[in-house]
Each structure stands twice: as structure tokens, then as C-alpha cells.
Amino acid sequence: SYAVVNLEKLSKTTDASPEMFVKVKNPMDSTKDILRPNLRVNILDTLSNNRRLNQSDPIQIFEIGRVFGEFKNFSSQIMPDEKDHLIAVLSGKRNKDNLWGKTTESVDFYDAKGVLETLFESTQVSFQLSECDDIFFSKGKSAQVLVNSLHVGNVGEISDYALSHFDLNESVVMVEIFLEEILEKSGLKISSASDLNDAAKKIVDEIK
């Protein structure tokens, strides 16, 4: 997906100050002039577009992409801090059959947690969950993901407030992982970003 996003939509996905965002001086689209600090806007836009075409079936979307943080000094050049994130969303009803046919229950926190567990099982990494105070998520139905006490992601149900700005009126859960934090800071048994990316792609089978 595109690396630039709309500021108004972005403001609904984070409580970070706009001064922290990286603005493009000469954007091709004047309505999208911010280098994305997360993948949330892109994936919810994609989900919203798909939901307009299919209003009944469960929809699951997965992406690994680059995000842009505050400016830093790299070899005497001031440039945005670039990092790789992984994100997945599940929406609608659970895509599972039982003895009485397909379930009518909506996805919830535990579906997202199941995807998270599948990802970390693939990497042989242990994680813990702690309280999440991110306005993007529903309070009490979300958590921060910690590895060695380091915040490496988030998991849970997206708040109705955030969903309303993407024309979504159904249950949507998200898994968000900061790949660079895992690779660079936690001292885990992962030799390269490609190893983690390969492991991350295995969750596609889990969320389909």
C-alpha cells in the first residue's frame, strides 16, 4: 500500500502529536501528505473498500510494510527513522464451521490473540501481554505485546470511534507487530528480518 496517508484519518488512529509526523513537501495527492507512522490507515481503508463489495463474508487482511518515525541523524544526514511493521485485521463473523453450520459470532480479542500466538510459535519467541491505553483500541479488549519487557506490538479490538471514520460498523480485531524492535533490541534467536517476515507470512493460513 502507499506510504503516504491522510492526516485527518491518521489522527483517528493515534494520539501522537501532528508535529511528530513526517510531512511530504510536494505530494502527488494534496489530501495525502503524511508519511505513515503506522499501517493502520492503509489496512482499514483496504478493509472498508472490500467491505463495500462484500457485506456478508468474513474478511482478513495481512501486510508487512515500512513506516516512518521522527527525523534522526544517519551518517550526517537528517532522515526519517524507517522501520518495518506487520499488521493483520480480521472482521465480521468467525470463519469457522461447527456441527450446526457456520458460526454467527463476531470476531473478538481471542481471535486476534490466536493469530498472535501462531506468529510467535513460528519464531519460537515468548511474549507477554500488558494493559493497553492506546485510544485506537477498545479499553479492556486489547493489550500491548511485550518481549523481554520491550513493547513490540499491540493486539485487540479496534474502538468503535476509530472504525466509524472508515465507514465500518462491525467488529474488527487487529494484530500489530513492530518487526524492527524485535530484531534490533530484544536479543532473540532470529538471524534476519527475512526470517521473521517468512514466519509472519505463515499467519495468512491462520486468518483465512
Side-chain angles (χ1 to χ4, degrees), residues 52-115:
R52 292 189 189 98
L53 300 175
N54 185 337
Q55 300 180 10
S56 59
D57 293 333
I59 296 177
Q60 302 88 26
I61 305 171
F62 165 81
E63 180 180 358
I64 295 174
R66 182 144 294 191
V67 302
F68 303 85
E70 297 179 81
F71 282 96
K72 290 187 176 181
N73 192 329
F74 295 96
S75 301
S76 300
Q77 287 187 313
I78 305 299
M79 300 176 63
D81 188 18
E82 300 182 29
K83 296 184 177 182
D84 290 323
H85 282 195
L86 175 156
I87 198 166
V89 292
L90 294 76
S91 68
K93 307 299 181 182
R94 289 195 179 95
N95 191 22
K96 295 180 180 179
D97 296 322
N98 55 38
L99 293 176
W100 299 274
K102 285 191 176 293
T103 181
T104 58
E105 297 177 340
S106 296
V107 294
D108 61 19
F109 170 81
Y110 295 99
D111 296 286
K113 184 172 179 284
V115 172

Side-chain angles (χ1 to χ4, degrees), residues 163-182:
L163 292 176
S164 67
H165 292 280
F166 293 86
D167 297 323
L168 293 165
N169 58 1
E170 61 184 341
S171 177
V172 180
V173 298
M174 176 176 288
V175 175
E176 180 179 49
I177 297 296
F178 315 146
L179 300 181
E180 298 290 329
E181 275 75 357
I182 293 178

Side-chain angles (χ1 to χ4, degrees), residues 21-44:
F21 304 146
V22 179
K23 189 169 184 178
V24 178
K25 285 188 175 180
N26 298 298
M28 295 180 64
D29 181 347
S30 61
T31 67
K32 297 178 180 179
D33 60 351
I34 303 295
L35 287 177
R36 62 189 184 188
N38 59 53
L39 301 179
R40 296 173 179 181
V41 172
N42 301 82
I43 205 163
L44 289 183

Side-chain angles (χ1 to χ4, degrees), residues 80-169:
D81 188 18
E82 300 182 29
K83 296 184 177 182
D84 290 323
H85 282 195
L86 175 156
I87 198 166
V89 292
L90 294 76
S91 68
K93 307 299 181 182
R94 289 195 179 95
N95 191 22
K96 295 180 180 179
D97 296 322
N98 55 38
L99 293 176
W100 299 274
K102 285 191 176 293
T103 181
T104 58
E105 297 177 340
S106 296
V107 294
D108 61 19
F109 170 81
Y110 295 99
D111 296 286
K113 184 172 179 284
V115 172
L116 182 70
E117 290 170 345
T118 298
L119 170 61
F120 277 88
E121 285 172 5
S122 300
T123 59
Q124 299 182 346
V125 172
S126 298
F127 70 90
Q128 302 80 42
L129 299 179
S130 69
E131 184 177 357
C132 179
D133 58 1
D134 192 320
I135 63 168
F136 179 69
F137 291 97
S138 297
K139 192 172 182 60
K141 299 178 181 179
S142 57
Q144 288 187 347
V145 183
L146 305 179
V147 172
N148 296 343
S149 300
L150 176 72
H151 180 206
V152 299
N154 302 293
V155 59
E157 300 181 26
I158 301 174
S159 69
D160 290 339
Y161 169 78
L163 292 176
S164 67
H165 292 280
F166 293 86
D167 297 323
L168 293 165
N169 58 1

